[in-house]
Amino acid sequence: MKKSKTTAEIKTLISELTLEEKAGQTSGQNFWETKPIERKSIPSFMLTDGPHGLRKQVSSADHLGISQSVPATCFPLACLTACSFDTALMQRLGEALGEECLQENVTVLLGPGANIKRSPLCGRNFEYISEDPLLTGEMATALINGVQSKNVGTSMKHYALNNQERARLTCDSQTDERALREIYLAGFETAVKKAQPWTMMCSYNKYDGTYVSENKKLLTDILRDEWGFEGAVVTDWGACNDRVEGLKAGQDLEMPSSGGVNDICIVNAVKNGTLDETVLDTATERMLNIALTSTERPSDFQYNVEEHNSLARDMATQSAVLLKNDGILPIDKNASVALIGCFAKTPRYQGSGSSRINPTSISNAYDELLLQGVNFSYCDGYSLTTDKPDRALIDEAVDLSRGKDIVFLYIGLPDIYESEGFDRSHIRLPDSHIALIDEISIINPNIVVVLHGGSAIEMPWLSEVKGLLNMMLAGQAGGAASVDLLLGNKNPCGKLAETFPHKLADNPAYKHFGGTKSVEYRESIYVGYRYYETADKPVLFPFGFGLSYTSFEYSNLRLSSNNISDSDNLTVYVTVKNTGSVAGKEIVQAYVRAPKSSIFRADKELKAFGTVTLEPQESKELALQLDKRSFAYYNVNISDWHVESGNYEILVGASVKDIRLTASAYVQSTQPEVSVPDYRGSAPAYYNLKNEVLNISKEAFEAVYGKKVVTPQPTRKGTHTVNSTISEVQDTLIGRILSKTIASSAAKMFSNDPEAMKTMKPMIDAMIPDMPLRALAMMSGGMLNITKAEGLVDLINSNVFKGLGKLIKK
Ligand code: BGC
């Protein structure tokens, strides 16, 4: 971070500010900007979404992607770029994003999103990196380093445990300490330690009964005291509950703002002695550190739109995952092709919500096939407005496919299936898309599916197709990238950053996902492949899996030592040879298997990965680094990481299932005396996962959780607070009127925009019931502030005069 004043100068500056000015620095002046203090030449600065492009809104502002933003490159989404396992590529993406921020005078980009994909149902998985914390942490680090190399900040989000969209503003995530550390925080930890994001965005939800925005354990004890975070904590938009408590807990900037109400609370708290002024000074200093970077950036920077579009295309080609190829790809350019599916002309290339970008251009497969001289005929195959199969469209597609050498089916999840603000209820494709596969495969077996969508899906139809290319959500240049891969101009090299299970019920969070008041993370550390591998549960496509048009041979696995102390580093060397006839890039993965112990461990954990690009017949040696954390588990008895002495297996392979070479090293613990937790008596289920559906009893979970599970109760009539949700206040007339008013103003918001009506309206509708009244203040576009929201609560609780008093108060 390059800033125009030294720390000493900033401290002096703070001593010259009034209490009101300092409080003012800790909340937004509007939706996207902080407040300037002109008399002291302190500029305001802009924070904006993120994460895979810039969503800088020019006129009306919102945090849900409703109003239009300036054109920006829509790069492939994290769900896809994660599949590149390529940190250098991710860093380039970060640099490009940083450049777009420079042009648009944006100081902090709201990203990357680093929540763990606990369930494929999470509506926002497309913005997140992986089910694995190591991959999450390394890719996030690279992106942050890239952006910040331009002297532009990032906001790593949503810290923490925001693993579902349902009731995200109120739900309490109940996670045992070990899962918290090993799974949900580890990615954030890596990035904080290696890249120091300028800001961290605290999430909406609660953790262990306390809103994250005022959770001292997360915001200060762990983030700052343990990891050494130096930046500022920013609330997710509207995540602030109690501003003064938040400040004390380590929350620096409230966004967007409370319309000044909370600034006054801060001033009053300092005056009446309930808030130490030094806490405010520290938050102010963190904000000024960022504000005073602005003069250190070029004021007339222009990024190269074409270059960024090429990077978006390159990233999509290097990340797309070839999941099936029965010798059908790449196709011969002279083949006759039936191109079917609206997504070939109108690609689904990004997700809905706050990350929605207004792209600088959009490529599609149809135009690209024309451009590349392929002989093809096209039809829609399905409608974009309904998922019911349409007989006429299917018949047309079947006719078109008859006699063709190959059928490209562009299908996947439509916008309304996944979005910020709600979760999926199943992981199937629309019936209209499946019907196409079923019916075309009868008359033409040469089907290649090109899949779009932000997370895993079930594929009961897989045996009916010969090829499957997963483009996920590939950004604005994804259409062109898909054609390059299908024609073999480029060789696919991405590998899955999340497991594709056979069916939803196989997912370890299946029984405990989507609660509205609380969610028990009963599966503990068994997230994603950690569960499937340990439980020996067959999956559709394993973590780390992806095909290539060439083949790779692994040999010469050796370790820098076979006997180390846990304070030593260990280097894993492996030689990879391209044994095919085209150049290719291979992603090499190193997993560690811990020795059997009294503490339950996952069968395999990813501990290092690397990529290697090879010409045909070329070989190269790759060196992967392991350290203490590669062997450690989080020991709740000592509140620290601990390595047990023993033989650890190092498994090197092409996916979590395709282990090619194995070695072992004896690791000597530097803390052999430490007591290792043992739940074999109290929670045996964690040691034997081989059930049809993962079923951990409350008692077993509580043994590992270390306390009783608290199930929050819905608020009752007459006792509502600003944190009661719209659905909870339905027990009163005013609550019902309120709910209808919100629904009808949401409908009006989109009445002139059919596109937004299609994609955004379902999101708003899904969010309304779980919205706390507190959030109304932010959603009302200035009509309501927190005091007025409190007034509404009084009315709802039948305190009519008190309520009216607050509602008419200026
Ligand atoms: C999202 C954040 C986003 C913010 C600002 C919130 O609804 O959760 O990810 O950065 O809005 O748009």
Side-chain angles (χ1 to χ4, degrees):
M1 182 190 279
K2 277 194 233 130
K3 46 188 182 186
S4 56
K5 286 199 184 324
T6 63
T7 304
E9 286 167 338
I10 290 176
K11 284 194 193 300
T12 310
L13 185 58
I14 292 170
S15 68
E16 293 158 6
L17 299 182
T18 65
L19 193 53
E20 287 72 14
E21 282 170 333
K22 289 191 284 190
Q25 283 298 290
T26 68
S27 68
Q29 109 165 312
N30 55 35
F31 223 80
W32 302 117
E33 287 164 310
T34 58
K35 303 186 195 81
I37 304 179
E38 269 139 31
R39 70 174 189 97
K40 286 288 172 190
S41 307
I42 296 170
S44 101
F45 67 86
M46 177 174 247
L47 312 93
T48 199
D49 290 299
H52 47 266
L54 212 61
R55 187 175 67 97
K56 181 183 171 183
Q57 292 182 316
V58 267
S59 47
S60 48
D62 65 82
H63 66 305
L64 298 171
I66 298 167
S67 305
Q68 197 54 288
S69 50
V70 299
T73 314
C74 179
F75 291 99
L77 278 68
C79 60
L80 183 64
T81 51
C83 300
S84 73
F85 284 65
D86 189 332
T87 51
L89 201 59
M90 213 59 181
Q91 170 127 7
R92 275 175 60 206
L93 167 61
E95 288 161 10
L97 289 169
E99 288 183 357
E100 300 205 9
C101 288
L102 287 182
Q103 171 171 313
E104 296 298 337
N105 203 12
V106 168
T107 301
V108 175
L109 179 79
L110 304 177
N115 296 92
I116 290 291
K117 302 185 192 199
R118 177 174 176 247
S119 160
L121 292 179
C122 173
R124 220 172 166 182
N125 274 359
F126 57 77
E127 274 185 72
Y128 300 146
I129 298 169
S130 177
E131 66 190 26
D132 179 79
L134 179 90
L135 184 61
T136 297
E138 294 301 331
M139 297 300 264
T141 299
L143 187 106
I144 294 168
N145 279 334
V147 176
Q148 294 190 173
S149 70
K150 304 288 171 184
N151 206 31
V152 169
T154 52
S155 196
M156 198 180 186
K157 63 190 188 183
H158 309 89
Y159 180 74
L161 296 164
N162 183 178
N163 305 100
Q164 65 180 45
E165 287 298 288
R166 182 80 211 269
R168 64 177 172 158
L169 271 72
T170 45
C171 189
D172 183 14
S173 300
Q174 299 180 343
T175 320
D176 70 274
E177 186 72 18
R178 199 175 149 216
L180 177 76
R181 301 297 190 133
E182 293 186 20
I183 308 292
Y184 296 102
L185 296 191
F188 289 106
E189 177 184 2
T190 302
V192 165
K193 288 180 173 169
K194 289 189 174 175
Q196 281 291 351
W198 289 10
T199 75
M200 293 286 277
M201 184 190 290
C202 67
S203 54
Y204 288 118
N205 51 289
K206 292 178 186 161
Y207 158 59
D208 260 357
T210 309
Y211 282 101
V212 173
S213 63
E214 57 202 50
N215 195 305
K216 179 171 170 292
K217 171 175 167 180
L218 288 178
L219 302 191
T220 297
D221 302 348
I222 295 180
L223 182 61
R224 294 188 189 280
D225 298 348
E226 286 186 33
W227 302 346
F229 177 61
E230 294 163 2
V233 171
V234 179
T235 63
D236 197 345
W237 267 231
C240 179
N241 176 49
D242 182 318
R243 182 66 187 101
V244 174
E245 287 311 308
L247 206 55
K248 287 183 193 163
Q251 174 209 118
D252 300 299
L253 176 65
E254 176 192 8
M255 284 305 282
S257 88
S258 58
V261 175
N262 281 339
D263 294 0
I264 297 171
C265 292
I266 293 173
V267 170
N268 289 344
V270 172
K271 286 187 178 156
N272 68 26
T274 50
L275 175 70
D276 189 339
E277 192 166 353
T278 58
V279 174
L280 178 60
D281 288 351
T282 307
T284 309
E285 182 178 341
R286 292 180 187 139
M287 297 321 304
L288 293 191
N289 281 338
I290 301 174
L292 295 170
T293 55
S294 59
T295 49
E296 302 301 301
R297 279 187 288 278
S299 55
D300 53 355
F301 188 89
Q302 295 239 305
Y303 70 88
N304 186 320
V305 176
E306 254 326 296
E307 268 176 24
H308 283 197
N309 185 54
S310 307
L311 174 62
R313 180 168 177 165
D314 190 28
M315 296 212 59
T317 31
Q318 293 203 51
S319 309
V321 189
L322 182 62
L323 288 173
K324 181 169 183 181
N325 188 12
D326 288 350
I328 196 167
L329 292 174
I331 66 146
D332 179 346
K333 255 194 162 180
N334 299 316
S336 61
V337 173
L339 176 68
I340 296 168
C342 292
F343 286 170
K345 272 192 171 173
T346 317
R348 169 116 198 283
Y349 63 96
Q350 65 172 330
S352 298
S354 63
S355 69
R356 203 161 181 92
I357 313 297
N358 174 16
T360 57
S361 60
I362 306 175
S363 81
N364 67 48
Y366 181 97
D367 292 342
E368 190 63 27
L369 284 165
L370 274 182
L371 204 69
Q372 300 214 20
V374 174
N375 163 24
F376 73 96
S377 331
Y378 169 84
C379 68
D380 282 350
Y382 51 85
S383 150
L384 282 175
T385 50
T386 167
D387 46 16
K388 292 215 176 62
D390 179 314
R391 194 66 262 159
L393 292 177
I394 296 174
D395 288 347
E396 188 188 6
V398 171
D399 279 350
L400 195 84
S401 306
R402 209 167 262 123
K404 294 287 187 323
D405 294 331
I406 197 145
V407 181
F408 288 152
L409 266 187
Y410 274 69
I411 56 176
L413 299 174
D415 262 319
I416 44 165
Y417 271 49
E418 47 180 357
S419 166
E420 176 173 344
F422 62 88
D423 298 313
R424 284 192 288 169
S425 55
H426 62 79
I427 59 168
R428 295 186 302 276
L429 285 184
D431 290 346
S432 54
H433 296 210
I434 299 177
L436 280 177
I437 304 176
D438 290 345
E439 300 217 15
I440 295 172
S441 61
I442 298 169
I443 55 107
N444 191 334
N446 294 326
I447 301 177
V448 174
V449 164
V450 182
L451 194 64
H452 300 62
S455 190
I457 57 162
E458 290 172 2
M459 301 183 194
W461 41 263
L462 186 64
S463 62
E464 295 165 39
V465 306
K466 283 196 178 162
L468 173 58
L469 177 65
N470 191 2
M471 296 303 297
M472 304 210 76
L473 296 180
Q476 65 179 47
S482 69
V483 170
D484 279 341
L485 293 164
L486 295 171
L487 300 188
N489 307 337
K490 294 280 161 66
N491 188 355
C493 55
K495 295 194 179 188
L496 290 180
E498 65 200 274
T499 310
F500 277 47
H502 279 296
K503 53 185 194 305
L504 180 60
D506 291 345
N507 177 258
Y510 178 66
K511 293 193 87 164
H512 296 276
F513 179 83
T516 52
K517 283 281 173 191
S518 65
V519 180
E520 294 161 25
Y521 287 38
R522 289 214 190 161
E523 71 286 357
S524 181
I525 59 157
Y526 293 119
V527 175
Y529 72 84
R530 282 169 166 75
Y531 167 67
Y532 300 115
E533 286 300 297
T534 316
D536 257 337
K537 188 165 277 291
V539 297
L540 185 60
F541 294 112
F543 176 84
F545 171 79
L547 300 168
S548 162
Y549 295 150
T550 187
S551 47
F552 300 98
E553 186 184 273
Y554 289 51
S555 64
N556 294 336
L557 174 64
R558 55 192 182 87
L559 306 179
S560 53
S561 167
N562 292 98
N563 198 330
I564 58 164
S565 149
D566 69 23
S567 51
D568 298 333
N569 288 344
L570 184 71
T571 310
V572 180
Y573 298 96
V574 62
T575 301
V576 183
K577 180 176 181 190
N578 179 345
T579 50
S581 53
V582 289
K585 179 168 140 191
E586 174 66 335
I587 296 165
V588 179
Q589 301 150 49
Y591 296 86
V592 170
R593 176 180 287 146
K596 285 265 166 297
S597 160
S598 63
I599 181 94
F600 56 90
R601 305 277 301 247
D603 180 62
K604 295 185 189 104
E605 291 187 293
L606 183 73
K607 293 301 173 187
F609 60 88
T611 60
V612 55
T613 303
L614 298 165
E615 292 301 317
Q617 303 307 312
E618 189 188 8
S619 0
K620 276 184 197 157
E621 188 177 64
L622 208 74
L624 304 172
Q625 302 300 332
L626 302 180
D627 60 15
K628 175 175 175 182
R629 281 290 283 274
S630 313
F631 306 102
Y633 66 97
Y634 191 83
N635 186 321
V636 294
N637 292 345
I638 56 167
S639 301
D640 203 354
W641 298 90
H642 178 234
V643 177
E644 285 185 275
S645 297
N647 270 314
Y648 288 77
E649 282 179 72
I650 320 291
L651 314 159
V652 175
S655 82
V656 73
K657 277 252 177 279
D658 184 9
I659 299 301
R660 304 285 180 87
L661 299 164
T662 306
S664 84
Y666 186 83
V667 184
Q668 176 68 52
S669 178
T670 45
Q671 296 164 290
E673 71 294 346
V674 158
S675 92
V676 180
D678 185 349
Y679 306 102
R680 285 173 295 189
S682 56
Y686 289 100
Y687 298 78
N688 175 19
L689 304 176
K690 295 192 174 114
N691 298 311
E692 187 41 38
V693 176
L694 182 66
N695 193 6
I696 304 281
S697 68
K698 188 168 168 206
E699 292 68 36
F701 177 60
E702 285 177 341
V704 168
Y705 190 41
K707 56 191 163 210
K708 289 267 177 232
V709 165
V710 180
T711 313
Q713 297 304 311
T715 46
R716 284 185 334 270
K717 198 168 181 172
T719 65
H720 290 300
T721 69
V722 280
N723 282 321
S724 300
T725 60
I726 300 285
S727 66
E728 285 171 334
V729 299
Q730 291 308 294
D731 56 5
T732 65
L733 179 65
I734 303 218
R736 290 193 291 276
I737 296 174
L738 193 64
S739 162
K740 287 218 174 83
T741 316
I742 300 169
S744 76
S745 29
K748 275 194 207 118
M749 208 151 56
F750 303 111
S751 55
N752 293 329
D753 185 346
E755 182 56 24
M757 180 67 102
K758 206 172 69 213
T759 55
M760 301 293 172
K761 174 85 175 18
M763 168 175 75
I764 305 286
D765 289 347
M767 284 168 66
I768 291 173
D770 295 331
M771 203 161 67
L773 298 173
R774 161 171 65 85
L776 282 178
M778 187 187 53
M779 302 283 290
S780 68
M783 275 157 60
L784 218 64
N785 62 21
I786 191 76
T787 312
K788 294 197 192 315
E790 281 166 3
L792 273 177
V793 172
D794 288 332
L795 285 185
I796 287 168
N797 286 336
S798 306
N799 296 324
V800 180
F801 292 114
K802 206 167 152 201
L804 287 176
K806 286 183 189 159
L807 280 168
I808 56 173
K809 194 172 168 189
K810 281 245 156 129

